[in-house]
Amino acid sequence: MSTGMDEARAKLLEYRASIDNLDAALIHILAERFRCTKAVGALKAANKMPAADPQREQQQIARLRRLADEAHLDPDFAEKILTFIAREVIRHHEAIAEERASAGN
Ligand SMILES: O=C(O)C(=O)C[C@]1(C(=O)O)C=C[C@@H](O)C=C1
């Protein structure tokens, strides 16, 4: 009688196991990206380069919107994610530059 519901619950657990794996992958990918942008922040600060590069961001957005479209992901969502991440990266860059400046470098 409850077989349908049991099957649905089993399927839900299966999907959730995949979701958990994918969420873990996202965290690891983000950690690697931020490890890389931290190095970019140090390079920019050491060479007095501006934290933000709007032109580069426009290129990234155009590319990611194209990729999202091909992957059947909403391009607006892809753009929002990239913009959100870039804002955080810029905040980190500025903090690194301020630390350097206050250390007298
Ligand atoms: O490529 C850079 O110059 C970066 O600082 C990295 C990054 C990014 O997260 O991709 C962040 C801020 C810039 O505005 C553009 C790109």
Side-chain angles (χ1 to χ4, degrees):
M1 213 316 256
S2 65
T3 318
M5 191 53 101
D6 289 346
E7 274 172 22
R9 287 212 176 92
K11 200 79 205 155
L12 179 60
L13 287 181
E14 235 177 79
Y15 286 138
R16 284 182 175 171
S18 288
I19 289 169
D20 285 346
N21 283 345
L22 290 163
D23 285 349
L26 282 176
I27 291 297
H28 287 124
I29 286 168
L30 277 175
E32 280 308 304
R33 194 185 196 284
F34 275 94
R35 198 201 302 270
C36 187
T37 55
K38 201 176 161 190
V40 170
L43 182 75
K44 284 186 167 182
N47 292 283
K48 310 242 179 302
M49 294 159 92
D53 185 338
Q55 204 185 335
R56 163 75 174 151
E57 282 183 42
Q58 282 316 306
Q59 292 165 349
Q60 288 170 292
I61 287 168
R63 176 172 173 267
L64 289 189
R65 287 189 68 95
R66 213 167 45 239
L67 288 174
D69 197 39
E70 286 167 14
H72 308 293
L73 181 73
D74 179 1
D76 290 343
F77 177 69
E79 176 168 350
K80 271 189 219 156
I81 298 244
L82 181 77
T83 304
F84 181 72
I85 292 172
R87 295 288 79 77
E88 182 67 6
V89 170
I90 290 165
R91 209 174 58 76
H92 291 183
H93 286 356
E94 286 167 351
I96 293 169
E98 276 159 32
E99 260 170 48
R100 252 191 102 92
S102 63
N105 298 310

